Amino acid sequence: MKLGATAGRLAALLIILIACVVLILLDYRERTRNYYQSMQVELQQTQKNVSASTRRIMEHIAILRRAAESYFLNHHEDHLYSELSANIAYDSTRSLFAMDTLQPPFSTDQVGNLTGLGDIQGRQPDYYREMEMALSLTPIFRATKENLPESNWVYYISQNRFLYIAPWIGSDKFAYTNESLSLEFFTMALPYHNPERTPFWTRVYVDEFGEGLMVTAAAPIYANEVFHGAVAIDITLDVLKGFVRSPNLSAGELFIVNQSHQLLAHPTLTSSHAKTAATFPEALPKGVDNFISHPKDIPTDTFLEIKGYALIRTNIDETPWYLLLSVEQSAIRSAIIEQMTPEMALAALIVLFAALIQRYFLTAGQLESSQRRYRQMFEHCDAVQIILDPLNNKVIDANPAACDFFGFSSEMMGNISASRLFLSENNEMLDESWLPSLQSGKTVIAARRGDNRSSLVEMYVSEVKDRASSYLYLIVHDITDRKRSEEQIRLQAYYDPLTRLPNRSYLFEHLNSLIASHKREHARLAVLFIDLDRFKQVNDNLGHGVGDKLLQQVSNRLKSRLRESDMLARLGGDEFTVVLPHLREETDAIHVAKILLQQLAESFSVGDYELNIGASIGVTLFPKDGEDASTLIKNADIAMYKAKDNGRNQYRFFEERMNEAAASRLMLEGDIREATQNEQFHLEFQPIIDLKNMRLAGAEALLRWLHPRFGELHPREFMSIAEETGNIVQISEWLLKNALNLAAEWQYSRPADQQPFIAVNMSRRQLINSQHIKRWRDIIRQSEVPPGSLVLELTEHNLLNEFEESRRSLMELHHMGVRLSLDDYGHGASSLTLLKELPISMLKLDGLLIRNLGRKTKEEVLMDALVKMGRAMDMKIVAEGVETPQQLAVLRESGCDYGQGYLFSPPAQPRELSMMLEKVFSVQTQDD
């Protein structure tokens, strides 16, 4: 009996022991599962934090990109570089320039560091415009640096071999090198590497300015389909390492790897000061690297257990990066066993039957410890945290940071409605139905502060459940300052600072959106392209200050005559665009165009000036004239130029044949560049005859173009295009050199005082640019032709448009001994001021005055008066367009000095002209 009783007791004890062991194993298994889940949660939280940081960086890259491209589209004139020239130093030993010291009017908060290869002088206008674009981004660079304290550099790198970093940090920090354009942040932006023009992250590389290992976020810059460079933000590996620090992760290592298997962040293996980047295999535990060759070999939904380690992976949003967690399994076991105290085994024996019902439990000590840890984390966290009861609209708990933010004590927080803490979009208090509808995730909302201020906050909402209830756990971040900065940057990127009108970027986005809606609704809209007719004269003669005020008045006057649904934008300069949505009839667009023309035809009062300008308007209709914003605006621009050609102050609707004319003009622009390079131009010379002795006195050099497809072209067919594109500079220099070559051959044909002169036409661009004048002076000196043998012909139109600049240039040439001739005088409103203020030595009468000579007309009286006036002012008089003996007779009788025209000779080749040196021209006049 005793033996049986003992056996029974032993059996019962064995059952109890087995039950305890089973409970302990079940508890261990549950703890292990919970531990893995907590590490997954920590991994996901880290992933959200890193993704949020990289997303913010890319958002600022997008803002910089829009601002840069907007500048190129909206600004066509250069102003800033000339003021910065005193701050640029050129180092000839290294063949680079750099911003050296900042002198007035600039200070360190206005500009940044500018450095590049070669001498900054003598570049093409587009080079300086690109440089000015970079300088104009300084406020946005500075705002970006302030909003992204984790960034190392914020900069723009140009394909023109210069670099701009803002704000200013001292010229000794860096210098542009030959390797700059070969680094990945530039090569990945190039069109053939990045045809989609998408923003990107680089691989790890060594910074050329000594800042160590880093990665770069960058985006290519395009304007009018032309690649200009890239904007970029650098992040060092030490900063990235900070992204993966997790105080709540007691075991394991978090690290970031890119698709090139480079380590971007690791607790021990990455450092900005390392010479090379560590690689993915180096981060794997010994033995594990034999089984894993790529981050994608590691799963994302569960831990991979291999060789005593557990590994899991997640992807970082919108980057080519992976976030990985590696944990040693022995460390997990140690952490769990440490929690399983001997008291738990004793408690398991005491509560055996309860343990059979409840598979695992927490001891009172563990629960208290867990609560204490939670309370310490909750109360000492700087982030605003609150727990809400959505059903009862109550605050369950709030940490001290929340009490400070909302302005209530902890006792008051427990007694107020939860919905009272936040405001609706209209800044009104929310009702109680708002809280139950709040869902997990991120949201932006206005928070009501204790001092009746409101702040914009970013709120992360998580739902927490227990057996009895459901609560909402909120983490709140004040983003008021950030949103204010972003709004300021948005205004700079999308609105014209002078008129406060939408700029080109905003116009294209809005117009494309309208087109999409009108397409769905089968509706019509119109685009009006407005160009002010005489704005340039106001700017040039009265200054940019008056011009800016005029533009503001123009924008206000236009806005006052448009509907709220209409859009008015400033494209740049004196160009405006109006979008008229939901047109009923085409005549509606005509009605608006007439009203706007009438408004702009009325005078403007700007300070002491009464200004009359007028405008020309081109009109396109959707969908007839285009189905996208670019086409509609381009065609409206073409129609506007047609309105200008027809006399200005009128509107024109686009017609398809206008597009063909514009295409032909564009083709001719390319042909001119090719002709300049391939020397398709040649010269002819029309003799100028001394009317006293009827011998050759000189010749006018006339440019001719033997076009490979169209044959010989007259200058009137291409010179205006060459002037607009800037090719006139090269063409004019070529013309001057070749004309002087002929003059050099004539030096010994006659005595010095009877040397024939060569007359060359001078363009507007030469007149207003001191560098071009310097080139002409150099060409004249190198030719060894006496300066008095050269006559430069100028038109009144060019002189009046930029009088002061022209006057300085002409005085320089006059002091050299070059003679100046005023061409086409007597045609239109001739200016006596030019004759008085400029050193004119020759007056060339327009052919329209000469045409009716010999018929006793008013032209004869006017011509005679001009000859007498010119001779009284010690000027030689040239009559062009002489074609009849009667005209010649009147000219000789009036005392005119020289004649030019087909009566004497058509334009001739240089060899034919040289044969006329000794010729006496014989013309039978009526008197003869």
Side-chain angles (χ1 to χ4, degrees):
M1 290 292 293
K2 288 183 178 180
L3 185 59
T6 302
R9 285 194 292 272
L10 287 173
L13 180 61
L14 182 60
I15 290 171
I16 292 172
L17 289 174
I18 291 172
C20 287
V21 170
V22 170
L23 284 174
I24 291 171
L25 290 175
L26 288 173
D27 187 57
Y28 177 85
R29 180 180 175 185
E30 186 68 13
R31 287 173 182 273
T32 303
R33 187 174 66 83
N34 290 340
Y35 199 95
Y36 276 124
Q37 286 180 346
S38 68
M39 287 192 294
Q40 276 187 279
V41 169
E42 190 61 34
L43 177 69
Q44 293 303 323
Q45 186 58 48
T46 303
Q47 187 267 349
K48 288 181 181 177
N49 294 339
V50 176
S51 295
S53 297
T54 56
R55 194 178 298 113
R56 279 189 66 215
I57 293 168
M58 275 303 180
E59 287 172 356
H60 281 80
I61 283 289
I63 290 170
L64 289 168
R65 179 186 196 174
R66 284 197 299 269
E69 293 180 345
S70 173
Y71 183 92
F72 280 121
L73 294 171
N74 292 326
H75 295 77
H76 305 286
E77 297 181 0
D78 307 331
H79 299 294
L80 188 58
Y81 168 70
S82 60
E83 297 177 348
L84 273 175
S85 58
N87 299 309
I88 305 298
Y90 175 62
D91 184 349
S92 58
T93 59
R94 294 187 294 168
S95 187
L96 62 85
F97 65 84
M99 190 163 308
D100 187 17
T101 58
L102 293 174
Q103 301 179 13
F106 299 96
S107 60
T108 56
D109 63 343
Q110 287 180 296
V111 290
N113 296 78
L114 183 66
T115 180
L117 290 181
D119 191 347
I120 199 168
Q121 305 295 333
R123 302 295 185 106
Q124 292 297 318
D126 279 347
Y127 182 89
Y128 301 121
R129 192 163 74 92
E130 189 171 326
M131 191 171 290
E132 291 187 15
M133 181 282 297
L135 295 167
S136 75
L137 291 185
T138 301
I140 303 179
F141 278 134
R142 187 164 60 250
T144 300
K145 194 73 175 73
E146 291 170 359
N147 287 332
L148 295 175
E150 64 267 35
S151 62
N152 194 54
W153 304 107
V154 182
Y155 56 94
Y156 168 79
I157 183 165
S158 163
Q159 67 159 352
N160 280 319
R161 306 172 77 83
F162 74 80
L163 178 72
Y164 182 68
I165 296 179
W168 196 78
I169 54 170
S171 61
D172 58 337
K173 290 286 186 181
F174 67 95
Y176 188 93
T177 66
N178 278 310
E179 289 73 35
S180 296
L181 293 187
S182 64
L183 292 176
E184 195 166 276
F185 56 74
F186 183 80
T187 57
M188 285 179 65
L190 292 170
Y192 58 85
H193 278 160
N194 192 351
E196 295 82 14
R197 307 176 184 178
T198 55
F200 58 89
W201 286 93
T202 68
R203 295 177 298 181
V204 180
Y205 67 97
V206 179
D207 177 60
E208 61 179 339
F209 302 137
E211 297 296 317
L213 295 179
M214 60 178 59
V215 294
T216 297
I221 301 299
Y222 283 81
N224 296 322
E225 300 301 312
V226 176
F227 173 71
H228 288 277
V231 288
I233 299 174
D234 291 344
I235 309 293
T236 65
L237 293 200
D238 285 347
V239 169
L240 288 176
K241 186 189 291 187
F243 286 0
V244 296
R245 290 195 181 100
S246 176
N248 299 325
L249 190 66
S250 57
E253 292 178 335
L254 282 167
F255 55 97
I256 299 176
V257 180
N258 63 18
Q259 289 183 341
S260 300
H261 291 200
Q262 293 176 310
L263 282 179
L264 277 66
H266 189 279
T268 59
L269 295 177
T270 59
S271 169
S272 297
H273 305 294
K275 293 183 178 179
T276 57
T279 59
F280 170 59
E282 296 176 57
L284 295 175
K286 189 174 181 181
V288 175
D289 55 350
N290 295 327
F291 298 90
I292 297 174
S293 59
H294 194 281
K296 287 188 176 180
D297 295 339
I298 301 170
T300 59
D301 53 349
T302 184
F303 278 84
L304 173 66
E305 297 181 338
I306 183 172
K307 288 290 183 178
Y309 287 85
L311 298 98
I312 192 169
R313 167 182 64 88
T314 186
N315 299 330
I316 297 173
D317 297 344
E318 301 175 12
T319 69
W321 300 348
Y322 309 105
L323 178 65
L324 297 100
L325 173 61
S326 171
V327 188
E328 191 173 1
Q329 289 179 300
S330 61
I332 299 173
R333 288 194 294 270
S334 298
I336 294 173
I337 291 171
E338 185 178 347
Q339 295 175 6
M340 298 176 65
T341 60
E343 288 81 359
M344 190 178 71
L346 178 62
L349 292 173
I350 297 172
V351 292
L352 175 60
F353 294 107
L356 292 173
I357 299 170
Q358 182 181 359
R359 292 179 57 192
Y360 69 95
F361 63 91
L362 291 172
T363 64
Q366 289 172 317
L367 182 58
E368 181 182 351
S369 175
S370 176
Q371 290 176 337
R372 188 166 56 250
R373 286 197 302 272
Y374 159 75
R375 176 53 58 182
Q376 288 176 346
M377 290 170 56
F378 187 71
E379 291 185 350
H380 291 90
C381 182
D382 291 335
V384 174
Q385 301 180 61
I386 51 178
I387 300 173
L388 306 178
D389 179 356
L391 294 178
N392 298 313
N393 194 29
K394 292 292 183 184
V395 178
I396 301 299
D397 204 352
N399 69 348
C403 295
D404 291 341
F405 181 78
F406 289 105
F408 297 106
S409 65
S410 57
E411 292 79 11
M412 292 174 67
M413 287 288 281
N415 294 323
I416 63 174
S417 299
S419 56
R420 185 181 173 187
L421 300 176
F422 300 97
L423 301 170
S424 69
E425 292 181 358
N426 300 324
N427 273 349
E428 297 175 354
M429 196 171 296
L430 297 164
D431 57 34
E432 295 186 2
S433 64
W434 165 77
L435 197 56
S437 65
L438 196 59
Q439 297 181 349
S440 297
K442 184 174 75 170
T443 185
V444 176
I445 195 171
R448 181 172 177 267
R449 309 288 291 269
D451 53 3
N452 288 326
R453 289 187 299 119
S454 65
S455 293
L456 199 63
V457 298
E458 197 170 60
M459 188 164 65
Y460 296 85
V461 183
S462 301
E463 188 176 10
V464 181
K465 294 182 178 180
D466 60 19
R467 289 184 178 84
S469 304
S470 176
Y471 304 101
L472 294 177
Y473 172 56
L474 275 58
I475 300 176
V476 178
H477 297 291
D478 188 349
I479 60 171
T480 305
D481 292 338
R482 190 183 92 195
K483 285 294 182 182
R484 189 179 295 120
S485 296
E486 289 175 356
E487 178 62 18
Q488 184 180 0
I489 292 172
R490 190 186 74 82
L491 286 173
Q492 291 174 339
Y494 282 111
Y495 286 86
D496 172 47
L498 177 65
T499 62
R500 298 295 180 185
L501 294 177
N503 63 15
R504 181 184 290 266
S505 298
Y506 190 92
L507 169 66
F508 272 74
E509 287 187 18
H510 182 70
L511 183 53
N512 277 321
S513 175
L514 280 177
I515 288 170
S517 65
H518 280 58
K519 212 176 264 187
R520 291 191 298 269
E521 300 165 9
H522 302 288
R524 289 182 290 189
L525 65 80
V527 174
L528 278 62
F529 195 107
I530 304 170
D531 186 270
L532 305 183
D533 283 338
R534 284 173 287 278
F535 176 74
K536 189 175 186 305
Q537 287 91 321
V538 174
N539 240 3
D540 292 343
N541 296 326
L542 303 180
H544 291 285
V546 173
D548 288 348
K549 290 177 182 176
L550 176 59
L551 289 174
Q552 290 170 337
Q553 288 193 27
V554 167
S555 66
N556 291 335
R557 194 175 286 185
L558 291 173
K559 277 190 292 187
S560 69
R561 301 314 303 265
L562 297 174
R563 303 171 297 178
E564 281 194 20
S565 59
D566 299 336
M567 179 186 188
L568 173 65
R570 183 186 176 209
L571 292 183
D574 59 350
E575 296 175 342
F576 295 84
T577 299
V578 174
V579 180
L580 304 174
H582 297 102
L583 286 184
R584 289 171 299 179
E585 302 291 340
E586 290 185 11
T587 52
D588 293 344
I590 296 174
H591 177 67
V592 174
K594 287 181 176 178
I595 289 175
L596 298 183
L597 284 173
Q598 182 182 356
Q599 288 292 308
L600 296 176
E602 296 177 6
S603 63
F604 291 84
S605 295
V606 182
D608 298 330
Y609 303 104
E610 285 291 321
L611 304 175
N612 294 283
I613 50 171
S616 300
I617 300 179
V619 185
T620 51
L621 299 170
F622 168 84
K624 185 177 76 170
D625 299 325
E627 296 192 357
D628 60 80
S630 180
T631 304
L632 285 171
I633 293 172
K634 180 196 74 173
N635 290 343
D637 187 16
I638 293 171
M640 180 274 295
Y641 273 108
K642 194 65 178 175
K644 277 193 182 296
D645 291 342
N646 287 352
R648 304 175 181 247
N649 199 32
Q650 58 183 275
Y651 68 88
R652 283 295 299 268
F653 276 81
F654 173 75
E655 299 171 15
E656 189 56 42
R657 56 189 175 82
M658 295 180 186
N659 225 340
E660 296 170 5
S664 299
R665 178 187 176 89
L666 192 63
M667 185 190 308
L668 206 57
E669 286 181 16
D671 291 346
I672 289 174
R673 284 191 291 272
E674 189 175 329
T676 307
Q677 297 165 359
N678 298 338
E679 296 190 358
Q680 295 175 6
F681 296 112
H682 66 277
L683 291 181
E684 291 183 352
F685 296 86
Q686 186 164 31
I688 298 173
I689 307 303
D690 187 330
L691 298 185
K692 292 177 182 175
N693 57 25
M694 298 301 290
R695 299 186 66 177
L696 185 72
E700 181 181 0
L702 301 173
L703 184 67
R704 297 291 184 263
W705 179 10
L706 188 60
H707 194 282
R709 293 191 303 278
F710 306 136
E712 188 161 292
L713 297 181
H714 192 276
R716 65 172 169 269
E717 298 177 76
F718 61 86
M719 285 302 277
S720 61
I721 301 174
E723 183 84 42
E724 290 175 16
T725 59
N727 290 298
I728 191 69
V729 175
Q730 292 173 277
I731 294 172
S732 296
E733 289 184 3
W734 177 88
L735 188 154
L736 179 64
K737 288 178 183 177
N738 284 271
L740 289 172
N741 287 341
L742 180 62
E745 294 177 10
W746 290 352
Q747 282 191 69
Y748 306 106
S749 62
R750 287 188 186 173
D753 58 342
Q754 299 178 20
Q755 285 288 318
F757 59 83
I758 289 288
V760 174
N761 287 279
M762 196 172 194
S763 76
R764 184 185 67 87
R765 281 184 179 260
Q766 263 86 25
L767 280 172
I768 62 175
N769 191 303
S770 59
Q771 291 298 318
H772 296 159
I773 292 295
K774 181 178 180 298
R775 281 283 303 146
W776 275 51
R777 291 204 316 265
D778 293 342
I779 292 171
I780 295 168
R781 289 194 186 100
Q782 292 166 10
S783 71
E784 298 183 357
V785 172
S789 297
L790 176 64
V791 175
L792 297 181
E793 294 194 353
L794 318 148
T795 65
E796 287 183 277
H797 174 72
N798 288 342
L799 291 171
L800 288 172
N801 279 343
E802 287 92 4
F803 181 74
E804 281 305 319
E805 294 87 344
S806 302
R807 185 175 180 277
R808 285 193 293 269
S809 301
L810 295 177
M811 291 306 293
E812 289 183 39
L813 294 167
H814 173 68
H815 292 320
M816 278 187 73
V818 175
R819 289 187 283 174
L820 305 177
S821 172
L822 193 56
D823 199 6
D824 298 334
Y825 198 78
H827 175 61
S830 297
S831 171
L832 295 176
T833 303
L834 295 179
L835 303 182
K836 181 179 70 172
E837 297 290 335
L838 298 177
I840 304 296
S841 58
M842 196 173 288
L843 203 61
K844 197 168 193 180
L845 303 183
D846 187 73
L848 293 175
L849 279 177
I850 310 303
R851 182 183 301 170
N852 292 322
L853 294 184
R855 301 178 186 175
K856 304 298 182 182
T857 60
K858 291 181 180 179
E859 282 90 341
E860 231 174 87
V861 176
L862 180 59
M863 185 276 304
D864 190 59
L866 289 175
V867 170
K868 290 177 180 177
M869 178 190 72
R871 294 178 70 85
M873 298 180 74
D874 199 23
M875 297 178 187
K876 296 292 185 181
I877 309 299
V878 183
E880 64 176 334
V882 182
E883 296 181 353
T884 68
Q886 291 80 6
Q887 294 168 350
L888 175 61
V890 173
L891 290 169
R892 295 184 71 176
E893 184 180 349
S894 68
C896 182
D897 298 289
Y898 302 121
Q900 176 183 351
Y902 278 78
L903 179 64
F904 307 114
S905 170
Q909 297 295 323
R911 186 162 157 273
E912 297 172 333
L913 190 67
S914 297
M915 296 171 63
M916 301 178 190
L917 288 172
E918 301 303 326
K919 178 180 177 180
V920 176
F921 289 80
S922 176
V923 177
Q924 288 292 110
T925 65
Q926 238 177 4
D927 297 338
D928 297 336

